[in-house]
Structures are given as C-alpha cells and as structure tokens.
Amino acid sequence: SIGMEHELFLWKVHTQNPIMRYQLPNDPTVAVDLNEDENRFLVGDVNGFIHFMSLDSPTPLSTINAFHMSVKSPITTMEMCKGYPLLVAGNLHGYVKYWFFLGDRLEDLRQFRAHTETCLSISISKKMRIVVTAGKDEQIRMWSVEPFGLIGSFGRGKLWKINHLDMWESEVPLPDDPAHFEEPVPED
C-alpha cells in the first residue's frame, strides 16, 4: 500500500500486519509487479521518477527519470504487459511512455502525448500489440505499439478498424506542450 511521507508498505494478508516499510526519495503514486520476477517491483512517484524496488531492501535499488520533463509530473498509471517485456506508464500531463523491460533496466521505446489532461488508466493487449489509454480529458484512445499510431478514439462518429492502417485516426500523437520540456533559465 502507498503511504504518506515517502512511504510504501508490504503487508502480510493473513495477519494484516505490514512486513516491510519502504522509504522512497519522493511520495509514491503507483506500483506494479514485474513479470517473471517474484522479488522486484516498480514504483512511480510524484516527481515523475520510477524506482526499481526489491522485497528485501527498504530503499530503491535504482531510479530513472521517466519522462525527462522540466516540470514535476507524477506517474499516474503503470502497466506491465503479461508475457511480453513491455512497460507502459502515464503521467499527470497526459504523456505516455513505452519501455522494453530488460531484466535490470528499461530501454526507451517511445514517448508521446496521448491526452490533454492526466492519463488515468492504461491497458495492454499483447496479442494485438495495442495500448488503450483513458484520460481526464474524457477520451479513451487505442494506440498501436508497432507500427505506432492512434488507431482511434472511442465515442466518436469516425469508423476505424484495427487492421486497416488507412482507417486509423492519426499516425501522430497529440503535440507536446513545449512548457513541459523547457530548459531551466540559469540564474546570474
């Protein structure tokens, strides 16, 4: 469970007692298990970092800056594909990022803006190589991982089919907001 003041707890269900208290550098927002690894998991935080955690260590094993944004953008959702080494995360500003999970590290695949507001939920279809995102902008969108593209948005009057690229809504995501990636101005 996610606590306050940079804490995360692992609980023993039968006794309803915490068995490990994790201490993070920032407040945690979301956690996800790693496929095929019973000892490690990932935790997203309020500053947009993802931490590699172990059941045996109260502090992160390693940390990555997930979206490399110049503004703090909490990780709001993360999903690991079952049976395929794909991790997908979304953040407060509507960005989504894909990584290949390579055992002890993440290899960047693609980062894009999926929503104009917070990304609330992510689902992955390994079979179809599709990611579905839902955002606070009241949009549900279906994205193809490879080839990349916006297949379609649910609830719109436009007909689209997953296997017909010519019917896809767009080959490009929403434009990035430059304010999210500005270089800090050096002080004199």
Side-chain angles (χ1 to χ4, degrees):
S1 65
I2 293 174
M4 295 171 37
E5 299 182 13
H6 310 256
E7 294 179 328
L8 184 77
F9 295 92
L10 179 64
W11 295 81
K12 187 165 189 107
V13 176
H14 298 0
T15 62
Q16 298 179 5
N17 291 320
I19 56 175
M20 177 68 90
R21 177 181 165 260
Y22 298 96
Q23 190 67 36
L24 295 157
N26 306 304
D27 287 335
T29 56
V30 64
V32 66
D33 284 330
L34 293 174
N35 298 337
E36 312 300 325
D37 191 329
E38 295 179 6
N39 192 47
R40 293 183 305 150
F41 60 100
L42 300 174
V43 176
D45 77 19
V46 295
N47 288 342
F49 291 92
I50 295 177
H51 307 279
F52 282 80
M53 305 295 293
S54 169
L55 296 179
D56 307 323
S57 175
T59 58
L61 302 174
S62 63
T63 299
I64 65 164
N65 181 347
F67 291 88
H68 301 284
M69 296 174 71
S70 58
V71 297
K72 291 181 182 178
S73 190
I75 305 294
T76 54
T77 183
M78 277 195 303
E79 187 68 31
M80 189 79 189
C81 185
K82 292 181 183 15
Y84 188 71
L86 183 69
L87 172 71
V88 183
N91 73 12
L92 179 73
H93 291 92
Y95 292 88
V96 169
K97 189 161 186 179
Y98 302 158
W99 294 269
F100 271 132
F101 175 67
L102 302 172
D104 61 346
R105 65 184 177 86
L106 298 173
E107 179 182 302
D108 289 4
L109 284 179
R110 178 175 296 274
Q111 177 173 309
F112 61 96
R113 193 159 194 203
H115 298 277
T116 58
E117 295 183 47
T118 304
C119 185
L120 298 172
S121 178
I122 293 172
S123 294
I124 305 170
S125 168
K126 173 189 167 194
K127 180 180 177 184
M128 299 298 292
R129 298 187 60 126
I130 301 274
V131 172
V132 177
T133 62
K136 193 173 179 185
D137 58 4
E138 300 181 1
Q139 296 293 316
I140 299 171
R141 295 189 166 116
M142 184 177 289
W143 304 88
S144 172
V145 174
E146 188 62 44
F148 177 78
L150 173 58
I151 297 169
S153 300
F154 291 90
R156 295 217 177 139
K158 184 178 185 305
L159 179 65
W160 45 267
K161 292 184 180 179
I162 293 173
N163 296 326
H164 294 266
L165 277 63
D166 59 326
M167 295 182 79
W168 286 8
E169 196 169 311
S170 176
E171 293 180 12
V172 296
L174 300 176
D176 288 349
D177 184 334
H180 296 150
F181 300 95
E182 288 179 345
E183 292 293 323
V185 177
E187 294 182 24
D188 291 333

